[in-house]
Amino acid sequence: MIEAKDNATGRALLFDIDGTLANTDPLHLKAFNEVLGPHGHVFDHARFSRELQGFANVSIGERFLPDEAPERRALILDEKEEVFRALVAGQIEPLPGLMALLDRADAAGVPMVAVTNAPRLNAELLLSGLGITHRFKGLVIGDELPHGKPHPLPYQEGLRFVGARPETSVAFEDSRTGVQSATAAGIPTIGIRTSLGHADLIAAGAVASASAFDDPDLLAPLAAAMAW
């Protein structure tokens, strides 16, 4: 169980990883097609964003590999993650403005937490590849909890880890399931438009959307929310 930390201001920034810190979704799409294609499932970008993006592997296996035993599903999806990690190695670039935002949060004493449905190996690889592992006070893995996204539990755990309140925090997400998870936890959520458009992110519950972390439409409201 994660122990809550003291946080006098109650503020925090909570980030999804894939598609939010770095635009890795095209590589996930390629890996899914390589591994699930032989099982009769081929995805384009639109289908990926509807049916795969942001979902935990357990639910993906149940949906697309229903005739396989659970152990076999897990092996197939582990293979997908191995393919993804091979594809992403050496190709991890932060979204524009990310590093400046992390610097500003650190300077203001606002703790940051990463919250993801990705397997731990993937999450740690991406954070390490971006050189930002040390920036985050916690890493919440949805698959390691009783419920992953879109359930609010992953974000509730992220808040508890740094002793933050939902109403004075901000979450960043790029998927429907992620936005639903963060908003269900009561956190104002900004959608990052790496895969989905503004309308889809708002429909999922985001209060605003931005193209990246240097988007002028993001910076002013974020500064106001964080009291910077």
Side-chain angles (χ1 to χ4, degrees):
M1 185 67 71
I2 294 172
E3 180 182 353
K5 307 296 192 298
D6 292 332
N7 184 343
T9 67
R11 296 178 293 166
L13 295 180
L14 302 99
F15 296 82
D16 176 51
I17 297 178
D18 279 298
T20 300
L21 300 179
N23 188 12
T24 52
D25 287 341
L27 300 180
H28 279 290
L29 172 58
K30 185 175 181 179
F32 272 119
N33 279 332
E34 182 172 328
V35 173
L36 293 183
H39 296 271
H41 302 291
V42 178
F43 301 86
D44 59 11
H45 174 80
R47 190 182 179 201
F48 168 84
S49 69
R50 290 193 310 270
E51 301 179 13
L52 296 175
Q53 184 194 29
F55 287 95
N57 278 349
V58 170
S59 64
I60 291 172
E62 290 170 350
R63 179 170 184 179
F64 294 106
L65 301 167
D67 297 329
E68 302 285 353
E71 296 82 3
R72 176 62 181 155
R73 291 177 198 160
L75 287 173
I76 292 168
L77 290 166
D78 283 348
E79 179 186 353
K80 176 265 164 182
E81 301 304 346
E82 290 174 3
V83 171
F84 168 75
R85 288 192 291 270
L87 290 170
V88 82
Q91 298 188 46
I92 307 171
E93 296 290 338
L95 281 192
L98 174 64
M99 297 307 185
L101 174 59
L102 300 185
D103 286 343
R104 190 167 188 180
D106 276 340
V110 176
M112 293 173 283
V113 181
V115 182
T116 182
N117 266 355
R120 181 170 289 275
L121 281 176
N122 290 25
E124 292 177 345
L125 171 66
L126 290 170
L127 293 178
S128 175
L130 291 168
I132 58 175
T133 302
H134 64 287
R135 302 280 201 149
F136 292 90
K137 303 299 184 186
L139 171 59
V140 179
I141 305 294
D143 276 353
E144 297 176 0
L145 298 173
H147 304 285
K149 303 174 188 178
H151 195 280
L153 182 60
Y155 276 97
Q156 291 169 339
E157 285 293 282
L159 290 170
R160 193 165 66 84
F161 190 43
V162 291
R165 299 189 302 274
E167 67 275 10
T168 52
S169 299
V170 175
F172 300 94
E173 273 284 357
D174 71 307
S175 69
R176 294 178 182 88
T177 55
V179 171
Q180 290 163 357
S181 173
T183 57
I187 307 169
T189 304
I190 296 172
I192 302 297
R193 299 191 301 268
T194 48
S195 293
L196 298 177
H198 175 79
D200 286 328
L201 291 163
I202 296 300
V207 297
S209 78
S211 60
F213 294 102
D214 59 354
D215 189 329
D217 291 335
L218 163 68
L219 297 176
L222 181 59
M226 291 290 104
W228 287 339

